[in-house]
Amino acid sequence: MSRGRFVSETSFHVRYAETDSMGVVHHAVYLVWFEEGRSAYIRDRGWSYADIEKAGYFLAAGELKAKYRRAARYDQRITVKTWIEDLKSRTMTFGCEIVDADADAVLFEASLKLICLNAAGEITRIPKAWMAWINP
Amino acid sequence: MSRGRFVSETSFHVRYAETDSMGVVHHAVYLVWFEEGRSAYIRDRGWSYADIEKAGYFLAAGELKAKYRRAARYDQRITVKTWIEDLKSRTMTFGCEIVDADADAVLFEASLKLICLNAAGEITRIPKAWMAWINP
Amino acid sequence: MSRGRFVSETSFHVRYAETDSMGVVHHAVYLVWFEEGRSAYIRDRGWSYADIEKAGYFLAAGELKAKYRRAARYDQRITVKTWIEDLKSRTMTFGCEIVDADADAVLFEASLKLICLNAAGEITRIPKAWMAWINP
Amino acid sequence: MSRGRFVSETSFHVRYAETDSMGVVHHAVYLVWFEEGRSAYIRDRGWSYADIEKAGYFLAAGELKAKYRRAARYDQRITVKTWIEDLKSRTMTFGCEIVDADADAVLFEASLKLICLNAAGEITRIPKAWMAWINP
């Protein structure tokens, strides 16, 4: 999956509010976990996504591909594994795998291409200064 | 409930994502519906809460009281009734009643005191210009 | 997009809770709207997804592809257009396009393959009785 | 606040999806955190709320009182402190305080009365077996 790159891992329990009538986690919630995986990735590199926004940049969702493998349930402990899959001058693509923290069974896999925007909402080049946390 | 004041009504179907493992609507979702009720109230008065923020003001949650009466379920059609319960120089309190749109059975009742903030996040007086939508 | 098939349309205002710090709608929310589009599709055909679950079947998320075109904002009126893109014995794929209700600008496009499960959570054939709402 | 009773503490980072256009955490999210606090409380006592549901009982929201003290922001580390405030034959009331994990400033305080329901959705007595985790 990560082809030798840095992989961030963060673990937490499934919240009750994240389940739906089917008795399992609602499919939109995995995007929230993937996003928290990206936050953890940037934290692990000594930055915060908040710093990026303070500097006047935003990373906006562009294109998403996801596969749902197994259902997650309330109170289950899960791990979100996150890495950078691809990097271009104006976009970066994160990959993610969400697994059961104990059994290591894959629950969800996805990739999300993010587009770098400036404060005016225009597509812009990713600043060189970001390389410190992007490429460990 | 509304003591002769203007009451806004807005109706919609319960979304699947709003349910939880208990098979009913999650209790935090009613706050989102109440908020949509306040949005509808302001729209009904010819304004938008977006205009308020554009003018440099925010209405932040201060104090909440809520009673859960009956569970709502997926695809049920509900109506949110919203009114202004109290108005002071720096705060306004909205009241809300959420009912089954067909049976008129009460599902939820709440009041929320909002605090008027300026762009710096300081408590400030509610501008006089708002009276047009506050007091019909 | 829909190649002559039945397209359901449902419209509503963007809720404040659906926005994030970026000032626009959070990217996970579009999945909730797409799901509400599928609910509306089934309702338009005279059924409810609740009937499907009562009959002992579930439609679970399998594979998702999505493109984010333009940001949606608080109080904007949007329209979710939903159709059935593909139908196999055990899966059905919904397509969706979310547009600004007034300007008709495309905000989001996606397809989601759903897998038919029985009450035991096993993959099963889609019952023939569903054809009434699937193929108008 | 907790009057000598057992207080559970759980900490996590604010997720981006939990913020809104105001740049701070949406007010409904605190209910989700409070709920996660109750989950942590039961886990700390060696149980899981999932066990309660497996045994055929549900704890449904009845009455809520909440005060919003300070805004939480993206990536801030917060701590949810949770305790049992009151216990009757058919209801139990949880108390909660959400603080900044580093500064210990109070962000939110609330109490929620939960009603014990059986599988048929009828109000019922809280089983004696629960006392192990309720009263340490």
Side-chain angles (χ1 to χ4, degrees):
Chain A
M1 58 183 217
S2 63
R3 293 174 239 158
R5 294 193 178 233
F6 174 72
V7 178
S8 165
E9 296 201 8
T10 183
S11 298
F12 43 82
H13 289 92
V14 173
R15 298 175 179 176
Y16 199 85
E18 294 171 336
T19 61
D20 65 23
S21 285
M22 232 177 268
V24 297
V25 170
H26 188 266
H27 68 283
V29 171
Y30 294 85
L31 300 198
V32 175
W33 293 347
F34 182 5
E35 184 177 61
E36 180 55 21
R38 296 193 297 281
S39 290
Y41 183 99
I42 301 176
R43 268 197 304 266
D44 283 353
R45 306 300 316 149
W47 266 43
S48 167
Y49 176 70
D51 297 328
I52 293 177
E53 293 204 350
K54 267 176 217 150
Y57 296 93
F58 297 90
L59 292 173
E63 193 171 345
L64 173 73
K65 284 174 196 163
K67 283 186 185 170
Y68 296 85
R69 298 297 190 187
R70 276 179 189 77
R73 285 169 196 283
Y74 166 65
D75 221 23
Q76 186 174 349
R77 194 158 172 83
I78 59 156
T79 298
V80 183
K81 301 179 182 179
T82 314
W83 62 90
I84 291 176
E85 216 160 77
D86 190 42
L87 184 63
K88 296 218 156 50
S89 62
R90 291 170 176 82
T91 65
M92 52 193 304
T93 303
F94 278 91
C96 132
E97 200 178 76
I98 299 177
V99 302
D100 181 286
D102 304 313
D104 214 57
V106 178
L107 307 172
F108 176 80
E109 294 169 290
S111 74
L112 177 64
K113 188 196 276 184
L114 296 168
I115 302 161
C116 188
L117 304 178
N118 61 21
E122 298 156 342
I123 298 176
T124 191
R125 282 181 175 275
I126 295 170
K128 289 246 166 78
W130 296 13
M131 291 303 143
W133 64 263
I134 290 174
N135 280 320
Chain B
M1 56 186 218
S2 63
R3 292 176 238 158
R5 295 195 177 233
F6 174 72
V7 178
S8 165
E9 296 200 8
T10 183
S11 297
F12 42 83
H13 289 92
V14 173
R15 297 174 180 177
Y16 199 85
E18 294 171 336
T19 62
D20 64 24
S21 285
M22 232 177 267
V24 297
V25 170
H26 188 266
H27 68 284
V29 171
Y30 294 85
L31 300 198
V32 175
W33 292 348
F34 182 5
E35 184 178 61
E36 181 54 20
R38 297 193 298 280
S39 290
Y41 184 99
I42 301 177
R43 268 197 304 267
D44 283 353
R45 307 299 317 148
W47 266 43
S48 166
Y49 176 70
D51 296 328
I52 294 176
E53 293 203 350
K54 266 176 221 151
Y57 296 93
F58 296 91
L59 293 173
E63 194 171 344
L64 172 74
K65 285 174 196 164
K67 283 186 184 169
Y68 297 85
R69 299 296 191 189
R70 275 179 189 80
R73 285 169 195 283
Y74 166 65
D75 221 25
Q76 187 175 348
R77 194 160 172 82
I78 59 156
T79 298
V80 184
K81 301 180 182 180
T82 313
W83 61 91
I84 290 177
E85 217 161 77
D86 189 43
L87 184 63
K88 297 219 153 50
S89 61
R90 290 168 178 81
T91 65
M92 53 194 302
T93 302
F94 277 91
C96 133
E97 199 178 76
I98 299 178
V99 302
D100 181 286
D102 303 314
D104 214 57
V106 178
L107 307 172
F108 176 80
E109 294 170 289
S111 73
L112 178 64
K113 187 196 276 187
L114 297 167
I115 301 161
C116 188
L117 304 178
N118 62 20
E122 299 156 342
I123 298 175
T124 192
R125 283 182 175 275
I126 296 171
K128 289 246 165 79
W130 296 14
M131 292 302 143
W133 64 263
I134 289 174
N135 279 320
Chain C
M1 58 184 215
S2 64
R3 292 175 237 157
R5 295 196 178 231
F6 174 73
V7 178
S8 165
E9 296 200 8
T10 184
S11 298
F12 42 82
H13 289 91
V14 173
R15 298 174 180 177
Y16 199 85
E18 294 171 336
T19 62
D20 65 24
S21 284
M22 231 177 268
V24 298
V25 170
H26 187 266
H27 68 284
V29 172
Y30 294 84
L31 300 198
V32 175
W33 292 348
F34 182 5
E35 185 179 61
E36 181 55 20
R38 296 194 298 281
S39 290
Y41 183 99
I42 301 177
R43 268 197 305 266
D44 283 354
R45 307 301 316 151
W47 265 44
S48 167
Y49 176 69
D51 297 328
I52 293 176
E53 293 204 350
K54 268 177 217 150
Y57 295 93
F58 296 90
L59 293 173
E63 195 171 344
L64 173 73
K65 285 174 196 161
K67 283 185 185 170
Y68 296 85
R69 299 296 191 188
R70 274 181 189 77
R73 285 169 195 283
Y74 166 65
D75 221 24
Q76 187 175 349
R77 193 159 172 82
I78 59 155
T79 298
V80 184
K81 301 179 183 181
T82 313
W83 61 91
I84 291 177
E85 216 160 76
D86 189 42
L87 184 63
K88 294 218 156 48
S89 61
R90 290 169 177 81
T91 64
M92 51 195 304
T93 303
F94 277 91
C96 133
E97 200 178 76
I98 299 178
V99 302
D100 181 286
D102 303 313
D104 214 54
V106 178
L107 308 172
F108 177 80
E109 294 170 289
S111 74
L112 177 65
K113 188 196 276 185
L114 296 168
I115 301 162
C116 188
L117 303 178
N118 61 20
E122 298 155 343
I123 299 176
T124 191
R125 282 181 174 276
I126 295 170
K128 290 245 165 79
W130 296 14
M131 292 303 144
W133 64 263
I134 291 174
N135 280 320
Chain D
M1 56 184 217
S2 63
R3 292 174 237 158
R5 297 198 177 229
F6 174 74
V7 178
S8 166
E9 297 200 8
T10 184
S11 298
F12 43 83
H13 289 92
V14 173
R15 298 174 179 177
Y16 200 85
E18 294 171 336
T19 62
D20 65 24
S21 285
M22 232 177 266
V24 297
V25 170
H26 188 266
H27 68 284
V29 172
Y30 293 85
L31 300 197
V32 175
W33 292 347
F34 183 5
E35 184 178 62
E36 181 55 19
R38 297 193 298 281
S39 290
Y41 184 99
I42 301 178
R43 268 197 303 269
D44 283 353
R45 307 300 316 148
W47 266 43
S48 167
Y49 176 69
D51 297 328
I52 293 177
E53 293 204 350
K54 268 178 217 148
Y57 295 92
F58 297 90
L59 292 173
E63 194 170 344
L64 173 73
K65 285 175 195 163
K67 283 185 185 171
Y68 297 84
R69 299 296 191 188
R70 273 179 190 79
R73 286 169 193 283
Y74 167 65
D75 221 24
Q76 186 175 349
R77 193 158 173 83
I78 59 156
T79 298
V80 184
K81 302 179 182 180
T82 314
W83 61 90
I84 291 177
E85 216 161 77
D86 189 43
L87 184 63
K88 295 218 155 52
S89 61
R90 289 168 177 83
T91 64
M92 52 195 301
T93 303
F94 277 92
C96 132
E97 200 177 76
I98 299 178
V99 303
D100 182 285
D102 303 313
D104 214 57
V106 178
L107 308 172
F108 176 80
E109 294 169 289
S111 74
L112 177 65
K113 187 195 276 186
L114 296 168
I115 301 162
C116 188
L117 303 178
N118 61 19
E122 298 156 344
I123 298 175
T124 191
R125 282 181 175 276
I126 295 171
K128 290 246 165 79
W130 295 14
M131 292 302 143
W133 65 264
I134 289 174
N135 280 320

